Amino acid sequence: MNDGKPSLVEIESQAITIRSELTAIEIIDQPTYEFAVSKRTEAKDWLKNADEFFDPSIADAHALHKKLLGQKKLVVEPVERTIAQINTALVNWD
């Protein structure tokens, strides 16, 4: 299902094309200078689109990461506290 958004493969392909185009530019006169400015503007616009593509997934992954860390903390901390209590009891016994 394509809702008008590019796929990851399309984003990667565009990145390769943009890098190739920018790398091939040799500024030798005013027209090539203007061409370089135009291509740079296109590349900057593409970067904004790439951010729009990746940022929502990154935000979702970050939120899930924080949620999982919270769940882990709830499960793990009581065991860590119990181990610390046992360690204290072992030291006191010695």
Side-chain angles (χ1 to χ4, degrees):
M1 180 168 97
N2 189 339
D3 54 1
K5 296 179 183 178
S7 69
L8 179 57
V9 171
E10 290 169 326
I11 292 287
E12 290 173 336
S13 176
Q14 292 167 357
I16 292 167
T17 300
I18 289 168
R19 287 187 64 217
S20 175
E21 289 175 349
L22 292 177
T23 303
I25 295 173
E26 183 180 351
I27 300 170
I28 57 172
D29 55 17
Q30 190 62 36
T32 56
Y33 175 89
E34 291 168 6
F35 179 74
V37 169
S38 172
K39 285 299 180 179
R40 180 190 62 185
T41 301
E42 288 176 20
K44 286 184 173 186
D45 290 343
W46 178 86
L47 284 174
K48 291 176 189 172
N49 292 335
D51 286 343
E52 290 173 5
F53 177 84
F54 285 106
D55 287 352
S57 296
I58 291 169
D60 291 346
H62 181 68
L64 178 59
H65 176 77
K66 286 174 39 176
K67 178 182 176 183
L68 290 171
L69 284 176
Q71 291 172 341
K72 178 183 176 185
K73 182 178 180 178
L74 286 173
V75 172
V76 170
E77 276 190 358
V79 174
E80 290 174 336
R81 281 193 306 272
T82 304
I83 290 170
Q85 290 170 347
I86 292 296
N87 288 341
T88 300
L90 289 169
V91 168
N92 289 341
W93 176 258
D94 287 340

